[in-house]
Amino acid sequence: MEFQFKGANCLQITTKAGVLLTDPNLGQLGGKQPSMAKVDVCLLTDTSFRPADTGEAFVIDCPGEYEVKGFAVRGVPARSHLASEDQVDLRTVYRVSAAELNVVVFGHIYPQLSDE
């Protein structure tokens, strides 16, 4: 398994089975947009982080359980770091399992997590 930091929240995870990219919205932030040409799975912790072109990638942008190209992904909802307690502004936290390793992708979430 290989990890490559692209900038901001964008991380590329490459295994023998596939390529996963998290929050590839660098173009919106003034950076160089990563190529989606060889990406199999695109994880979005916030739906506004979706790039204009996701290519052929399987896009995961909400809570749930997924298995794609050797990646087992479990997403759970979390409150946005900017949301007040009475606002419903959800993001998604993901656990990605591949090649006997687990990685957690947090994104921009409220710093105090609950057991819920």
Side-chain angles (χ1 to χ4, degrees):
M1 182 179 292
E2 179 182 307
F3 295 89
Q4 185 176 14
F5 176 66
K6 300 287 189 173
N9 288 354
C10 189
L11 177 69
Q12 180 174 307
I13 303 172
T14 304
T15 66
K16 291 178 182 178
V19 177
L20 180 142
L21 195 63
T22 67
D23 292 337
N25 65 321
L26 298 177
Q28 296 172 4
L29 303 172
K32 182 180 177 189
Q33 188 66 33
S35 171
M36 297 295 291
K38 296 181 181 178
V39 175
D40 298 303
V41 182
C42 178
L43 282 187
L44 303 175
T45 60
D46 180 337
T47 56
S48 70
F49 293 163
R50 180 185 295 264
D53 180 17
T54 57
E56 297 292 320
F58 182 84
V59 178
I60 300 174
D61 62 359
C62 60
E65 294 187 15
Y66 311 85
E67 287 193 31
V68 184
K69 287 288 192 171
F71 295 100
V73 178
R74 180 167 189 249
V76 295
R79 191 171 95 192
S80 167
H81 70 298
L82 298 175
S84 63
E85 288 187 37
D86 58 335
Q87 285 180 310
V88 179
D89 186 16
L90 295 179
R91 302 295 189 253
T92 307
V93 174
Y94 296 100
R95 182 189 73 208
V96 178
S97 301
E100 299 183 20
L101 289 175
N102 292 308
V103 176
V104 177
V105 180
F106 287 100
H108 297 283
I109 62 168
Y110 190 71
Q112 294 178 330
L113 298 176
S114 70
D115 290 335
E116 296 174 17

